[in-house]
Amino acid sequence: MMIGRLTQRASCALRIEARRCKSTAPLTSTQLPNLKRGDYSSLTDADVQHFERLLGAGGVLRDETDIAPYNTDWMSWYRGRSRCVLLPRTVEEVSAVMKHCFDRRLAVVPQSGNTGLVGASVPVFDEIVVSMRRLNKRFDFDPIPGILQCDAGLVLEELDTRLGEFGYMMPLDLGAKGSCLIGGNVATGAGGVRLLRYGSLHAHVLALEVVLPDKDGTVLECGPALRKDNTGFHESHLFIGSEGQLGLITQVAMTAVPKPNSVQVAMLGCDSFLDCCKVLGDAKRLLGEILSSFEMMDSETMRCLKENHGRHNVLSTPAAFNLLIETSGSSQEHDQAKLNKFLESCLEKGLAVDGVLATSVEQANTFWALRENATLALMDDGYVFKHDISLPLKHYYRLTEAVRERVGSLAKRVITYGHVGDGNTHLNVTASEFSQELYDRLYPFVYEWTTQHGGSISAEHGVGLLKKRYMPLGKSPAHLAQYGRLKRFYDPRLILNPYKMLTM
Ligand code: FAD
Ligand code: MLT
Ligand code: ZN
């Protein structure tokens, strides 16, 4: 029953890099013919020479093959036609770049790991890509208060590993950890599989350094790196989830969390979604403070993992839902006893039809690999209509059922997995290729249904280009107008990440 100290989980990083080079996505401008290029300047040789002087020759990519991965999103839904990628190494370089882009009215897309799932990190037309990957030198950690200060271009998994040397870890964990960068995480307001326990990035970000797209390329220090500071407006929070609309995040100060001594992982099978909810209620009550993840995969997800990836369920009794539960605590004996008791109780009450505890780190990684590879496995079907929705639990799986009925045989699969402990469902509808008929069955139905049932059209992935049309759902005109005013305040020439999220 004992799995010891679980330090690392399998990462999707290698597969992600491989996909990024293979893109055959159609040009976004062809897919969206009504979307017109804004009134921006076009890049000239003089601009390129200026950038080369600022960043050195290695800081400016111009070769089409080198640029291709920066033009295409991870899902291969979108493809821009940028002719220039900039790779600054310091905040001064970012500032000088933004000052020039402001002067010349050149449109810019900030990009980190390019693992975003809403088409927000790639150009639509010929915007310049400012990649943050080389801004990755500073790593300062003070282990007594547990405060990390680092450059925005550090990879999430690398941060987690480096913090491990101090007995700490990142409060954030997600399947793309081997490729995404902390600045990209903050700009997206990413959630992931530890949010249930540690809260969102709003609970952890203390301060940000941000470069504004204004005439000076202003470097803004948003807040001191202190746990408590109650002076002024807490502007750093505005940049969490701002999707590159307001400024470029160059440094992050945030709290890390102590690495648990004991990590236990269990998989449970439930026959109904109502039983999943009851198990969640019991997990909160019986596991209490040690509960750290509560993830769900429905039977369609398990079938897809088996058919497309040859990954087998770890439960021997087939169930309508698999629940992946993780606890993190300081005492193995205590945590194991609690999880065992909880599992027994679920089986005795008939809430679970099967249950298994990981008995080694390898087994725990196998359990997690099922959940973390769901995203990749379903892509082998061909085309994916992906969703990231927040719903009250009483409606959570009803959306999947409604969509299944609505799309019928038009879809190859209707799959749902997600962070059920946070009310976050990832409903995915697959087909062998993009189908307009399927699209029309899904939209606006999915997003209107979500709003009508008290949900949000994005729990963690953001809005980007994918959901821009539906951004007004559930928001008042006054609220949207306020977003527009804020955008213009930070980005007066509207050069930052145009065509996404906001209608200006
Ligand atoms: P990018 O994709 O490069 O950029 C994302 C957005 O931020 C874009 O709008 C971009 O313009 C902007 N941006 C990037 N860097 C900066 C910066 N320094 N300053 C200002 N703006 C910037 N997401 C979750 O929330 N939870 C999950 O569990 C999860 N799992 C995933 C699993 C897989 C396999 C994959 C492929 C993705 C997953 N994602 C998940 C989505 C994605 O990984 C996250 O949203 C991640 O935070 C994006 O980080 P990135 O570095 O790749 O940013
Ligand atoms: C996840 O939780 O696996 C991610 O958010 C990615 C996805 O939705 O596929
Ligand atoms: Zn997710």
Side-chain angles (χ1 to χ4, degrees):
M1 293 293 168
M2 196 171 82
I3 65 160
R5 189 181 161 116
L6 183 67
T7 49
Q8 289 291 329
R9 294 201 202 113
S11 164
C12 299
L14 291 174
R15 296 291 305 271
I16 286 172
E17 290 306 324
R19 279 201 63 80
R20 290 180 69 231
C21 304
K22 270 198 276 175
S23 172
T24 49
L27 278 175
T28 310
S29 51
T30 316
Q31 288 182 64
L32 303 170
N34 294 333
L35 193 57
K36 300 293 174 216
R37 185 183 182 280
D39 184 20
Y40 299 107
S41 305
S42 294
L43 187 78
T44 62
D45 287 346
D47 293 320
V48 175
Q49 281 156 18
H50 182 77
F51 290 137
E52 282 174 350
R53 274 196 300 278
L54 291 178
L55 310 179
V60 183
L61 301 184
R62 296 278 287 143
D63 179 86
E64 213 175 300
T65 318
D66 293 341
I67 292 177
Y70 297 85
N71 263 320
T72 309
D73 70 309
W74 193 80
M75 288 299 294
S76 298
W77 285 324
Y78 300 110
R79 183 154 61 92
R81 39 186 170 77
S82 178
R83 293 182 298 119
C84 182
V85 175
L86 303 179
L87 294 144
R89 282 162 304 192
T90 62
V91 62
E92 290 78 17
E93 289 183 356
V94 176
S95 169
V97 163
M98 290 320 297
K99 180 179 171 354
H100 182 76
C101 291
F102 176 89
D103 288 344
R104 288 267 301 117
R105 197 170 162 80
L106 288 164
V108 166
V109 177
Q111 191 180 96
S112 284
N114 197 13
T115 67
L117 298 173
V118 292
S121 51
V122 289
V124 173
F125 296 100
D126 56 345
E127 300 91 283
I128 294 168
V129 176
V130 176
S131 167
M132 307 304 279
R133 352 180 129 241
R134 292 208 305 175
L135 207 88
N136 59 2
K137 308 292 174 301
R138 182 173 184 204
F139 174 91
D140 284 322
F141 183 62
D142 187 344
I144 304 294
I147 293 177
L148 166 71
Q149 296 186 69
C150 68
D151 279 343
L154 280 158
V155 175
L156 177 61
E157 189 169 54
E158 189 190 328
L159 284 171
D160 207 52
T161 306
R162 290 177 76 169
L163 287 173
E165 291 162 21
F166 296 90
Y168 276 82
M169 67 178 190
M170 292 297 278
L172 174 76
D173 185 18
L174 43 114
K177 59 182 164 265
S179 299
C180 60
L181 313 183
I182 187 64
N185 299 146
V186 173
T188 318
V193 296
R194 287 181 190 157
L195 188 140
L196 176 68
R197 168 69 170 274
Y198 299 107
S200 76
L201 278 167
H202 289 276
H204 293 282
V205 170
L206 304 173
L208 295 175
E209 179 188 76
V210 178
V211 173
L212 298 182
D214 62 13
K215 69 178 174 45
D216 301 315
T218 303
V219 180
L220 200 65
E221 302 286 344
C222 304
L226 296 171
R227 277 185 181 266
K228 293 185 85 170
D229 164 45
N230 205 9
T231 58
F233 303 122
H234 289 208
E235 211 175 358
S236 51
H237 288 264
L238 201 52
F239 289 91
I240 302 174
S242 61
E243 299 187 23
Q245 290 293 329
L246 306 178
L248 283 94
I249 299 163
T250 48
Q251 281 205 35
V252 177
M254 62 185 285
T255 46
V257 294
K259 200 172 176 65
N261 290 320
S262 152
V263 178
Q264 314 293 327
V265 182
M267 190 79 85
L268 268 74
C270 295
D271 267 347
S272 72
F273 189 71
L274 184 62
D275 286 345
C276 294
C277 295
K278 289 181 181 164
V279 172
L280 175 61
D282 280 6
K284 289 194 170 184
R285 212 165 36 82
L286 296 175
L287 300 174
E289 77 292 350
I290 62 168
L291 177 64
S292 52
S293 295
F294 196 100
E295 299 284 314
M296 183 277 279
M297 291 167 278
D298 67 3
S299 56
E300 275 300 308
T301 308
M302 301 315 292
R303 189 168 305 128
C304 176
L305 281 160
K306 190 171 153 200
E307 287 175 7
N308 290 1
H309 265 197
R311 290 180 192 271
H312 293 270
N313 200 340
V314 295
L315 298 177
S316 37
T317 316
F321 300 93
N322 270 45
L323 294 176
L324 176 55
I325 298 173
E326 186 176 271
T327 64
S328 307
S330 54
S331 156
Q332 231 158 240
E333 229 183 349
H334 166 267
D335 296 357
Q336 265 183 329
K338 264 187 153 175
L339 192 56
N340 265 319
K341 203 169 150 206
F342 163 74
L343 208 63
E344 276 166 20
S345 147
C346 290
L347 290 166
E348 269 166 25
K349 284 186 185 172
L351 296 179
V353 291
D354 198 357
V356 53
L357 286 180
T359 55
S360 65
V361 172
E362 290 69 34
Q363 258 189 31
N365 280 339
T366 308
F367 289 18
W368 269 109
L370 287 166
R371 173 62 186 86
E372 290 192 332
N373 278 281
T375 311
L376 286 162
L378 59 94
M379 289 172 82
D380 290 355
D381 276 1
Y383 193 89
V384 184
F385 295 92
K386 185 170 263 310
H387 306 93
D388 157 47
I389 283 167
S390 256
L391 274 169
L393 282 183
K394 63 181 175 199
H395 299 308
Y396 187 101
Y397 204 69
R398 282 187 55 213
L399 174 63
T400 306
E401 289 160 353
V403 165
R404 211 165 259 153
E405 198 181 318
R406 198 174 157 82
V407 301
S409 60
L410 281 177
K412 200 162 179 177
R413 299 176 210 265
V414 177
I415 287 179
T416 296
Y417 51 87
H419 318 286
V420 69
D422 307 319
N424 180 182
T425 158
H426 293 311
L427 160 71
N428 289 269
V429 180
T430 72
S432 52
E433 57 188 21
F434 176 82
S435 147
Q436 190 62 45
E437 199 184 351
L438 182 50
Y439 180 95
D440 293 339
R441 288 278 175 94
L442 287 170
Y443 311 110
F445 174 79
V446 170
Y447 293 132
E448 285 178 352
W449 195 100
T450 297
T451 316
Q452 282 156 12
H453 290 83
S456 164
I457 65 167
S458 174
E460 56 177 15
H461 297 167
V463 176
L465 190 53
L466 185 71
K467 295 172 221 168
K468 177 184 171 164
R469 252 176 93 180
Y470 307 104
M471 172 78 173
L473 283 174
K475 295 198 175 354
S476 69
H479 207 162
L480 291 166
Q482 187 66 1
Y483 288 165
R485 281 192 285 273
L486 279 169
K487 167 74 174 168
R488 280 182 196 281
F489 177 76
Y490 285 98
D491 180 12
R493 301 192 87 176
L494 305 179
I495 58 172
L496 216 48
N497 222 355
Y499 321 110
K500 326 265 174 66
M501 195 216 259
L502 303 170
T503 305
M504 296 302 297

